[in-house]
Amino acid sequence: MNLTAQEYPTTNLIPTVDLSCAKPAVANDPVLSPTVSSPAVSRIPCTNDLRIEVTTRCNYKCPVCPHDTLTRKKETMGYTLFKSIVDNVVAETDQFDTLTFPGMGEPLLDKGIVEKVAYVKSKGFKVLMITNMSMLTLEKFEALQRAGADSIRISFYGMDPKSYSEMHGVKDLTKFFKVKNELEKIVMAKTSMDILLTLNVVEGVNDHLTQEWIDHWQDKVDLLEVWRPHNWATAKTYRNLNVQQEKSCGRPFSGPLQVQVDGTVNMCCFDFDGKLLLGDLKQQSLVEVFNTPEYQHLLACHTSGNFEGSGLLCENCDQRNSDKSDVMIYNSKFNIEERVQQTSTTYSSISQDL
């Protein structure tokens, strides 16, 4: 199989919506935006994607992930806080129709995850899961499917015990067979929930198994994606920074709403340690969060493209690279050139301006 980018027809794997949603709230709008000194436009980012991190606990030590340097508290979001955040967001705006369970932890370590999935489905959301599959049994998969989860994205980074153990940071070499065998059962039992499988390729560790991985899984799951690792802003150095960078990655304008495990909001999923903290949904509305000085400062920098002396980790982030031609190796359904400009949840394009 040729691993180069190919043209594929549009898929309905995860439907997207028209994101001409958010009315820009100019700085002097007394309803949507209190008076601020920044010349930038203020608004809730134009996105339909709500992401809630339900735990910061993880049982794997993947070398491509910066979890080992996480300074935020290792905890799990309680059901009361989770329900409150969902209810308040729904009451404030109807722009969100998709809820993803991502973050710096393994969502299936949350014992209340099935109940949370069922609740957001009752509110009309499409529900997406992200997991390392270490805790995903056939029984758990079926429970999530009954609760209404629409898709599950599984990180499965090896094709033999050695590569799997190295890429996921586990010492038990038999873990590969346990996870693989369970996944084989799951793909046979699935009815309504899409299964998306991702491979992160690191040279000298698992790159020699890429073709075998694709050949084995391509007819079993709904989507395969093979990536080269990213940098997590400044935490890793897998990708070189382009000399010519974009003014913005686009996330302040149309990136997903990122809610951390404690109810705080940060700007970006690559900001794993919450350095770009904007506000707190335990105490603030979305409009208030996106009118804070922190957001105004970030928005102004991404509007001008001038990050010098800003103190923002965006200044040296690979997500502002203008050349993304080498970040994805293979995609079973999407055109690669288009896919690398989209989110990994709703597959919506991220606008790089207002």
Side-chain angles (χ1 to χ4, degrees), residues 57-126:
R57 297 187 172 99
C58 191
N59 56 341
Y60 273 13
K61 296 180 179 179
C62 306
V64 297
C65 174
H67 190 272
D68 59 336
T69 61
L70 186 72
T71 63
R72 292 191 289 127
K73 183 179 179 181
K74 310 300 191 300
E75 59 182 324
T76 298
M77 181 184 287
Y79 182 77
T80 300
L81 175 57
F82 177 82
K83 182 177 181 295
S84 173
I85 290 171
V86 172
D87 289 347
N88 290 340
V89 168
V90 169
E92 186 172 357
T93 177
D94 63 359
Q95 75 180 61
F96 298 101
D97 69 355
T98 302
L99 191 144
T100 305
F101 291 92
M104 285 309 298
E106 168 51 51
L108 296 182
L109 288 174
D110 177 2
K111 295 179 180 179
I113 191 64
V114 174
E115 184 181 13
K116 289 171 181 172
V117 168
Y119 184 72
V120 295
K121 284 301 294 184
S122 74
K123 293 293 183 177
F125 285 89
K126 292 188 287 289

Side-chain angles (χ1 to χ4, degrees), residues 297-308:
H297 174 51
L298 193 146
L299 190 62
C301 290
H302 277 259
T303 300
S304 68
N306 182 10
F307 294 88
E308 187 175 356

